[in-house]
Amino acid sequence: SVRRGHGLVYHPGRKAILLFGGGVALPEPRMSDLWALKNNTWTRIDTQGPAPRTLCGFAYDSARDRVVVFGGLGGNNNKYGDTWEWDGQRWEEKYFPARGALAGPRDHLAMAYDSKRKCMVVQGGGVYVNDVVWRRDTWEY
């Protein structure tokens, strides 16, 4: 369906563009489905992953052949600070914010894979306290 705030990444093993999450017009129901675009055809490949969210980090780790999701905005403007990996078959939560995630919950962040250093890099993002607090920090995973 039409959506915004979703993640897109190219997956070389599947030779496809993957799409995760996002939402539709306000009030914004969030989604948590994973789709692949190959040969001009969209195919849903997974629905059993992270909680529905928009504006999360979404990148491909080429060294480990994993797609990674971090953070995002859920229902009731709930911020996520969790990390999930998809290995091509299933999702697995990898980083638990209740156990002291340093980067902390956020949305509107930038995330990319650094193939030279073999790590995900997360930069910035927003956190709502009584108003939006924009972060200027950078983290590696």
Side-chain angles (χ1 to χ4, degrees), residues 26-95:
L26 297 173
E28 189 175 336
R30 274 87 173 174
M31 299 172 205
S32 62
D33 46 357
L34 182 66
W35 292 78
L37 174 63
K38 187 173 183 175
N39 300 323
N40 295 319
T41 301
W42 285 104
T43 305
R44 185 167 50 187
I45 55 178
D46 201 316
T47 59
Q48 303 298 313
R53 63 192 69 201
T54 62
L55 306 168
C56 60
F58 187 62
Y60 176 71
D61 178 335
S62 58
R64 298 180 313 115
D65 191 29
R66 301 281 190 270
V67 175
V68 180
V69 168
F70 170 72
L73 181 64
N76 296 320
N77 289 329
N78 180 38
K79 298 278 193 241
Y80 290 108
D82 53 351
T83 301
W84 290 78
E85 293 183 357
W86 186 70
D87 65 6
Q89 300 296 317
R90 66 183 182 92
W91 287 101
E92 183 178 357
E93 189 172 14
K94 299 302 257 184
Y95 202 45

